[in-house]
Amino acid sequence: MQGVKRYKVNLLPHDAMWAVEFLEVKEQIQGLWQDNVVDIQHFGSTAIDNVWAKPILDVAVVVKSFIDMNIKALTEIGYDYCGEQKPEHDRHLFVLRGDGEISLHHIHCYEPNNQDFINCIKFRDYLNIHPKKALAYSELKKKLACQFPNDRFAYSDAKSSFIQEIYDKF
């Protein structure tokens, strides 16, 4: 994974190797957390065929319990533990960084039946079976990346109405 500097937006064309890298990360997490893992999914734009994406691997891990989540195991292999994520405090985030402030992997951890997890996976699946919508999303992302190359928050906010439109289909 090439990665992206913190708070920056840099998109690349879809790369089939992202799925291969996901399988490696999935196996690593499963090996470290074993019985606490319920599910591990590749999500985000790197998991959507033919969509331009920030080259950061997004991995969703559903765990039986946050209490039993072995934080130390991931930090020992290089991930930074970023804690509970606001505003709901219903997921934990780990980030693998490259040189300096480059984000390579984001590991999002959820407990079962988390609605954000469900929405992210349904969004991925919807765009993978609706290539015209995926193309529209990719074009929007490229336009917004040009508009907000140094502001990942503004970039993400500007995509929210498109994402909500897809969520409303579920």
Side-chain angles (χ1 to χ4, degrees):
M1 197 57 66
Q2 180 181 355
V4 178
K5 285 186 179 180
R6 198 171 197 174
Y7 307 117
K8 305 291 184 184
V9 179
N10 177 39
L11 302 180
L12 295 177
H14 185 81
D15 185 338
M17 290 306 296
W18 294 338
V20 173
E21 188 166 345
F22 162 72
L23 292 174
E24 293 168 0
V25 171
K26 178 181 179 178
E27 184 177 308
Q28 189 174 42
I29 293 169
Q30 185 70 59
L32 292 170
W33 286 0
Q34 300 177 5
D35 292 341
N36 196 34
V37 173
V38 175
D39 192 11
I40 302 175
Q41 295 282 328
H42 182 194
F43 76 106
S45 294
T46 62
I48 303 169
D49 295 335
N50 301 314
V51 170
W52 283 57
K54 295 184 306 292
I56 300 171
L57 189 70
D58 281 306
V59 178
V61 181
V62 178
V63 295
K64 291 178 184 172
S65 166
F66 288 148
I67 294 169
D68 295 329
M69 191 169 60
N70 188 344
I71 295 168
K72 184 178 179 187
L74 278 184
T75 60
E76 286 179 344
I77 62 168
Y79 285 88
D80 293 331
Y81 175 58
C82 302
E84 290 181 318
Q85 300 301 291
K86 296 179 181 180
E88 293 87 8
H89 300 282
D90 65 346
R91 72 182 169 94
H92 291 249
L93 178 67
F94 294 83
V95 177
L96 180 66
R97 300 188 197 283
D99 295 334
E101 291 292 306
I102 295 176
S103 295
L104 301 171
H105 298 167
H106 290 171
I107 309 296
H108 307 259
C109 300
Y110 303 92
E111 289 183 312
N113 303 312
N114 179 284
Q115 192 60 50
D116 183 51
F117 168 80
I118 293 165
N119 287 343
C120 289
I121 301 311
K122 284 184 175 183
F123 182 80
R124 174 203 68 194
D125 293 347
Y126 182 88
L127 290 184
N128 274 324
I129 61 173
H130 294 91
K132 288 183 182 176
K133 273 293 190 190
L135 177 62
Y137 185 53
S138 190
E139 292 303 315
L140 173 64
K141 288 166 55 78
K142 289 190 284 187
K143 175 184 160 199
L144 295 175
C146 290
Q147 191 174 349
F148 303 111
N150 298 309
D151 188 347
R152 196 179 298 176
F153 295 112
Y155 166 82
S156 294
D157 288 345
K159 297 185 306 177
S160 63
S161 62
F162 182 96
I163 293 168
Q164 187 60 52
E165 175 191 322
I166 302 301
Y167 285 1
D168 290 344
K169 295 179 184 302
F170 311 150

